[in-house]
């Protein structure tokens, strides 16, 4: 059952403390060559940090 075909799960990593989390991201562009960056609240840093896609 593919409800959200554009939604993929990626592992993202806090750029400050390095904690890993998994987050569903909707990829609209097919040619997503650049790494995903998300501004997200990090519970370990206790603030918003930049999470980057882990490859
Ligand atoms: Zn962090």
């Amino acid at each position: 059952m593919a409800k959200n075909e554009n939604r993929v799960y990626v592992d993202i990593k806090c750029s400050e403390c390095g904690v890993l989390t998994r987050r569903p991201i909707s990829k609209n562009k097919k040619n997503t060559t650049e790494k995903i960056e998300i501004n997200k609240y990090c519970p370990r840093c206790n603030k918003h940090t930049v999470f980057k896609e882990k490859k």
Side-chain angles (χ1 to χ4, degrees), residues 14-19 42-47 49 51:
C14 174
S15 60
E16 293 201 17
C17 72
V19 71
C42 177
R44 194 187 283 183
C45 295
N46 200 33
K47 63 178 181 180
T49 62
F51 278 70

